[in-house]
Amino acid sequence: MLGPLRRAAVAAGAASASAASLRQFQCAYHRSNERLLPCRDQEVSYGLNWAIAGRGVVVKDKVFYNLEKSELQKGGAAYTECLSGIPLHVRGNVISGIPDVSRAQFAKLLKLVTFHLSSISSLYVQDGAVGSSVECDAKVRVISDNPSAVLLLSNILWKTPDRSISHDTCPLTIYVASSISANVRNSLGSGSQYANGFAAADIERSSLILCGKAFADSAMLKGALSALTAPVLSARGGLPFPGWLLSFGGSAVLLFAPVDVIKSLKLQDVLVSTDSGVVVSPKGSNVLFATKAREPNLFTRPTQVIIVSSDSTDALPALSKLSPGQAAYHFLAGYCDGKFIPAYSKDPSPLDPIALANSLFSHLKEDNTPTYLINAKSSGKYIDGKEFMRLIEVLLSNNLPDRKSEDIRGHYSFWHSFVDYWDHKEMSDLHMVSLRRNWSGGPLDHGGLRFSFISSSINKRSAGRLSRTFTLQEQAAQYW
């Protein structure tokens, strides 16, 4: 007899606890309504509180939504000292092959961070977007315990209308826990690099966690956002490339070059955005992060593509015209003084660089886009910015003749001889395998990069598959 009574009592206690929890949330919701700024209406407040609760954060007291910079500064926000070297842990980075943070680790960290934010009396919520085109962008919502973090993120994200997040199918969430305990800040590692905090991103969850002062490392933050938004932009018909955009008289030029080369040539002033990241879609092209213009803008589809390499031996000519296959190769294995920088980017990315190179190949071939290669070095030294811009003007005038084998040095012709396979009409039959495991770990030496070309249709009369494998280290000894 006592068993059923005990079970009934336990059930009644659980129901009472649930009711108490609901009442607590409702009270917190009403308090936040009463303290909302006059410019925010009750309907926005009601939906905002429930939306934040859906991301695991309960508004304890006050919430400030989409404040202007002047309002944030009145609330105590200030521009903090820029940091660098903040550790970033990424889950879902298919390039490296091994997740930097496990599913269980991220879930535990997210639980600790949302609990912390739910205990903060004043929360700051800011909406924005990655991508300067409303036709192809990724919406982002920031939930922060620090107005300074929101101020910095407002300079990175593009503005977006109120309530646009609620109409978006896959928005991203940034959780900023600057005042969380040191024990949590050290949960993913220890050492001097963790003294100011860390960042953790989960591409599957579309979530980014910033602990401590991690929000002050803008370079790391942009790299993490590029990785998180890549799947979203791809699903919406965009091709997110680690490149740069130049605008000349209404036409757009897509530029692929390492960051060091951009800085050496001092091209920041002529670029649409000083941050790497261009999205090419059927409707046009746009940059990822906010510029001085501050207003979202859609540019035309690239009318030219320029790939920049640097070769001190003058083996590469100053200018050369590339086929789509040659352009895909140089994009995939950018050559810079004896080292290869895969896809010209060291940032984490969930996109397979080979698939991205295939996409570039298809884009160039379908649009018949002129593509050129510029050697940024002459006689062992970088050319200056004026000379570089002069070369671009020559290319834009389309006065450069098509490449002829007799015009190119023998060892440079070799680089393109095997790349011509990429220009085969049946692109789906061409695969590049046996890449180094740490593809995204930075520049690769000659011996570390191995390509294998496999095609079953290059010679349809052959019953077998054509397979050609080589190492650049073996071939470079003959030609370099």
Side-chain angles (χ1 to χ4, degrees), residues 72-328:
L72 287 168
Q73 290 172 332
K74 288 180 181 179
Y79 288 103
T80 59
E81 179 184 1
C82 294
L83 299 178
S84 61
I86 296 291
L88 170 64
H89 300 260
V90 181
R91 182 176 178 275
N93 182 1
V94 299
I95 295 178
S96 65
I98 300 177
D100 205 14
V101 58
S102 68
R103 181 191 295 268
Q105 283 179 309
F106 191 89
K108 181 179 179 181
L109 178 62
L110 182 61
K111 185 176 180 180
L112 293 172
V113 168
T114 53
F115 180 81
H116 162 76
L117 292 174
S118 299
S119 66
I120 300 297
S121 60
S122 296
L123 286 179
Y124 296 84
V125 177
Q126 201 81 4
D127 293 340
V130 173
S132 61
S133 166
V134 294
E135 287 82 4
C136 188
D137 65 3
K139 299 295 189 297
V140 180
R141 168 158 287 172
V142 181
I143 305 175
S144 174
D145 62 356
N146 190 331
S148 298
V150 173
L151 184 62
L152 184 144
L153 285 162
S154 297
N155 292 329
I156 294 176
L157 301 175
W158 291 97
K159 288 186 177 182
T160 188
D162 289 355
R163 309 188 195 185
S164 62
I165 292 289
S166 61
H167 299 294
D168 196 81
T169 55
C170 47
L172 281 70
T173 307
I174 301 178
Y175 301 89
V176 182
S178 63
S179 58
I180 202 166
S181 66
N183 291 334
V184 177
R185 291 206 307 265
N186 297 331
S187 60
L188 292 184
S190 59
S192 58
Q193 69 269 32
Y194 287 87
N196 290 317
F198 67 89
D202 190 329
I203 294 175
E204 291 182 3
R205 290 176 179 262
S206 297
S207 300
L208 174 63
I209 295 173
L210 304 175
C211 288
K213 297 180 180 179
F215 65 87
D217 189 341
S218 59
M220 176 277 299
L221 186 57
K222 292 172 183 176
L225 287 175
S226 297
L228 284 169
T229 56
V232 178
L233 297 172
S234 299
R236 292 174 178 173
L239 294 175
F241 290 117
W244 318 80
L245 201 64
L246 296 91
S247 181
F248 288 92
S251 62
V253 177
L254 180 57
L255 176 68
F256 293 112
V259 176
D260 295 341
V261 173
I262 294 292
K263 292 180 178 179
S264 298
L265 300 179
K266 299 179 180 179
L267 299 178
Q268 293 90 334
D269 293 337
V270 299
L271 298 172
V272 173
S273 173
T274 56
D275 300 304
S276 174
V278 176
V279 182
V280 179
S281 66
K283 295 184 178 180
S285 54
N286 65 92
V287 296
L288 290 181
F289 302 109
T291 62
K292 294 180 179 179
R294 298 302 303 163
E295 294 298 329
N297 196 1
L298 179 66
F299 300 88
T300 61
R301 287 169 66 86
T303 53
Q304 281 91 14
V305 173
I306 297 175
I307 300 177
V308 181
S309 291
S310 58
D311 173 52
S312 300
T313 66
D314 291 334
L316 296 180
L319 294 176
S320 57
K321 192 170 185 178
L322 303 177
S323 68
Q326 294 162 355

Side-chain angles (χ1 to χ4, degrees), residues 4-23:
L5 293 176
R6 185 178 292 109
R7 287 194 294 271
V10 170
S16 176
S18 300
S21 177
L22 179 60
R23 285 195 300 272

Side-chain angles (χ1 to χ4, degrees), residues 394-421:
V394 171
L395 299 180
L396 293 178
S397 65
N398 291 323
N399 290 330
L400 185 69
D402 291 341
R403 177 182 64 85
K404 298 180 180 179
S405 58
E406 61 267 21
D407 297 333
I408 305 298
R409 299 186 184 189
H411 48 289
Y412 178 63
S413 179
F414 163 78
W415 284 97
H416 285 165
S417 64
F418 56 77
V419 181
D420 288 337
Y421 283 121

Side-chain angles (χ1 to χ4, degrees), residues 400-451:
L400 185 69
D402 291 341
R403 177 182 64 85
K404 298 180 180 179
S405 58
E406 61 267 21
D407 297 333
I408 305 298
R409 299 186 184 189
H411 48 289
Y412 178 63
S413 179
F414 163 78
W415 284 97
H416 285 165
S417 64
F418 56 77
V419 181
D420 288 337
Y421 283 121
W422 210 323
D423 286 314
H424 193 269
K425 63 181 180 180
E426 296 200 27
M427 188 63 189
S428 59
D429 291 329
L430 182 61
H431 305 280
M432 301 175 70
V433 296
S434 304
L435 295 175
R436 267 185 87 175
R437 187 177 184 181
N438 61 339
W439 177 270
S440 62
L444 305 176
D445 56 24
H446 288 299
L449 190 60
R450 178 186 292 267
F451 292 118

